[in-house]
Amino acid sequence: MQEYSLVQQAILIALPVLLAITLHEASHGYVARHFGDRTAEMLGRLSLNPIRHVDPVGTIAVPALMLITSQAALGYPLLFGWAKPVPVASRNLRSPRRDMAIVAAAGPASNLLMALGWALVLKVTFILAGPEAGFWTEALRAMAGIGVFFNCLLAVFNMLPIPPLDGGRVLSNLLPPKLSDQVDRIEPYGLFIVLGLLVTGLLWPLVGPGIQLSQALIISLVGL
């Protein structure tokens, strides 16, 4: 197994993570436009440019602070963050509740498709180079493995039924109005709920099985 320096690890991680976050957010906007809402497009957020989706606090400051403080306080790293949400005006959708559920689900769905794409990249490296490979092939395999894992993680995590996560929005728009209102009232506390699950170590038992299952299914689909 090839060992990489800290800078090399950062480079291997950066591309799949940026692609995963960018396409996740952009997919919300593209699907919303398909159903009649052009808010993201008018605000310049219907873009595959990662810079347009970077939140200075959620994408940079919070993850960096959590990595530093968790390593110092707990002895192991914790990572949490978010991108700038793509704006969607549900009132502009042709069928607001149904379409909003689909718009919300589009982000995690895009991540599963990206995970499949990275798995195909991984497959191609074995077809072309075989089990033994040089530095660049090993690096590409490492990047592809990160791409599969991170996209599965993002898909499963975002489908947790906690607003404002995508799963919370899907649940809210599938439930009858009275129950939907109850779910929506959780949204101001959703971030704190997720952070609480993360800090207490309860988040991985919730998402880990789904991540492992989705990875196994995707890897099996490409014949690895």
Side-chain angles (χ1 to χ4, degrees), residues 181-197:
D181 290 342
Q182 297 296 320
V183 172
D184 289 342
R185 288 175 187 171
I186 301 172
E187 183 161 347
Y189 314 103
L191 177 60
F192 300 104
I193 293 171
V194 172
L195 284 173
L197 292 171

Side-chain angles (χ1 to χ4, degrees), residues 132-151:
E132 299 297 327
F135 176 84
W136 292 108
T137 303
E138 282 289 346
L140 183 58
R141 285 177 184 170
M143 182 181 287
I146 292 167
V148 173
F149 171 77
F150 187 77
N151 277 285

Side-chain angles (χ1 to χ4, degrees), residues 63-118:
L65 183 63
M66 283 202 69
L67 277 174
I68 294 168
T69 56
S70 63
Q71 184 67 53
L74 304 174
Y76 55 88
L78 291 176
L79 184 61
F80 179 74
W82 60 89
K84 191 186 299 181
V86 167
V88 178
S90 58
R91 65 182 179 278
N92 295 332
L93 300 172
R94 288 190 285 271
S95 178
R97 287 174 58 78
R98 182 206 66 186
D99 295 348
M100 193 63 204
I102 298 172
V103 168
S110 73
N111 289 126
L112 292 176
L113 286 174
M114 275 186 282
L116 181 60
W118 282 113

Side-chain angles (χ1 to χ4, degrees), residues 112-131:
L112 292 176
L113 286 174
M114 275 186 282
L116 181 60
W118 282 113
L120 287 170
V121 171
L122 192 60
K123 174 74 170 181
V124 168
T125 67
F126 281 102
I127 292 173
L128 297 180

